Amino acid sequence: MNISQAAKATGLTPRMIRHYESIGLLTGTARTAAGYRLFNEQDLHTLRFIQRARSLGFSIEQISQLLALWQDRERSSAVVKQLARQHLQELEEKIAGLQAMHDSLAELASCCLGDERPDCPILDRLADTPGVEPAGCRQCD
């Protein structure tokens, strides 16, 4: 199977497949005499594994670790669980950060009248010039 067929079978682009090979996530890909890549079912399985791990937000480094664990039939599932829990903690921290950004932006947006006047509490808060008190929230005052 050539790279375009492998891309179609896995939902990845040929560029991403080449990238995964270049960084060592996909190894041992066969080549034709002309140098074209040939993919077998195991390669496709590995590419799908990588794709699913990426869709869960695992980093390339974490995927490399997961691949090594997946290929090591003597590994302990505790190591895999620890890696998953670590990633889950990172996701929870990102969610908390995004929620805080959302709440701040929602508060700023609710304070702006959005009319024709030039004064804007959103821009005032973003500028946050030292020594200058930002305009208050007219709707909240």
Side-chain angles (χ1 to χ4, degrees):
M1 178 177 297
N2 66 29
I3 195 165
S4 61
Q5 293 167 325
K8 188 174 182 178
T10 61
L12 296 167
T13 64
R15 183 176 182 206
M16 286 309 299
I17 293 172
R18 286 186 203 97
H19 175 67
Y20 292 148
E21 184 182 26
S22 73
I23 62 174
L25 290 182
L26 182 65
T27 58
T29 306
R31 302 273 182 154
T32 66
Y36 293 105
R37 292 170 180 83
L38 290 175
F39 299 90
N40 60 31
E41 284 302 314
Q42 182 58 42
D43 295 328
L44 297 180
H45 198 53
T46 300
L47 288 168
R48 288 184 189 110
F49 181 99
I50 294 167
Q51 181 187 36
R52 284 190 295 273
R54 289 295 292 160
S55 73
L56 290 173
F58 283 101
S59 69
I60 295 297
E61 181 182 326
Q62 291 168 324
I63 292 171
S64 180
Q65 294 171 350
L66 288 167
L67 279 168
L69 291 165
W70 179 48
Q71 294 162 350
D72 177 9
R73 298 295 178 196
E74 302 298 316
R75 52 85 171 83
S76 165
S77 65
V79 177
V80 180
K81 184 174 182 175
Q82 178 184 3
L83 186 60
R85 285 195 179 273
Q86 176 187 351
H87 181 57
L88 188 58
Q89 178 64 37
E90 292 167 4
L91 288 175
E92 288 169 352
E93 290 169 7
K94 285 181 183 178
I95 290 168
L98 288 170
Q99 187 62 54
M101 282 189 268
H102 172 275
D103 295 346
S104 294
L105 188 55
E107 178 186 350
L108 288 173
S110 72
C111 290
C112 184
L113 294 176
D115 56 18
E116 298 301 318
R117 291 187 268 175
D119 58 319
C120 177
I122 297 171
L123 294 176
D124 292 345
R125 292 273 173 90
L126 291 174
D128 196 20
T129 307
V132 175
E133 184 66 31
C137 178
R138 282 186 228 101
Q139 291 180 346
C140 300
D141 289 342

